Amino acid sequence: VQLQASGGGLVQAGGSLRLSCVASRRTFNNNAVGWFRQAPGKEREFVASISWNGGATTYADSVLGRFTISRDNAKNTVYLQMNSLKPEDTAVYYCGSWLSSYRSSDSPRYWGQGTLVTVSS
């Protein structure tokens, strides 16, 4: 499965962006998907995840209430709506797909190439 992340860009603090993660195969629709981010000089960290049918979502505390993950399986796409962005949200955002239907403690099996989000103060 190949994943293509897009939607990053430069935005002012308080603004919004929506990231998209498109998969090359429909089998993606059976798998949980997550968004992760890596800021300069820091390790990659978990942001949000969604189960295969969208029924279960999880969020990092740092984005809870500001970010929303969703999916449209008819389009093989997972979204990350990011509102009330802060400078500390600046990072490269990656989407990853697990082999399981729900998020697991393992790292995702498939990864997208990343999309840069820059939030200016």
Side-chain angles (χ1 to χ4, degrees), residues 2 6 30 32 40 44 49 55 58 62 71 78 82 85-86 88-89 108 117 120-121:
Q2 291 184 329
S6 63
N30 298 323
R44 188 175 298 188
S49 71
T58 63
S62 58
R71 68 190 300 161
V78 170
M82 305 186 296
L85 283 162
K86 304 175 181 180
E88 51 263 44
D89 294 318
V117 172
S120 63
S121 57

Side-chain angles (χ1 to χ4, degrees), residues 3-64:
L3 305 179
Q4 180 74 36
S6 63
L10 174 63
V11 63
Q12 289 188 332
S16 298
L17 282 174
R18 188 177 78 160
L19 306 183
S20 298
C21 176
V22 181
S24 60
R25 294 172 58 181
R26 294 196 65 81
T27 51
F28 169 85
N29 297 338
N30 298 323
N31 303 331
V33 176
W35 285 97
F36 296 74
R37 66 187 182 187
Q38 187 167 18
K42 295 187 177 181
E43 293 186 354
R44 188 175 298 188
E45 64 176 3
F46 169 78
V47 175
S49 71
I50 189 166
S51 62
W52 70 281
N53 63 352
T57 58
T58 63
Y59 296 92
D61 288 344
S62 58
V63 306
L64 191 62

Side-chain angles (χ1 to χ4, degrees), residues 98 103-107:
W98 284 276
R103 175 191 174 192
S104 75
S105 58
D106 297 332
S107 293

Side-chain angles (χ1 to χ4, degrees), residues 59-75:
Y59 296 92
D61 288 344
S62 58
V63 306
L64 191 62
R66 299 188 297 122
F67 292 9
T68 302
I69 189 170
S70 61
R71 68 190 300 161
D72 184 343
N73 283 348
K75 297 181 179 180

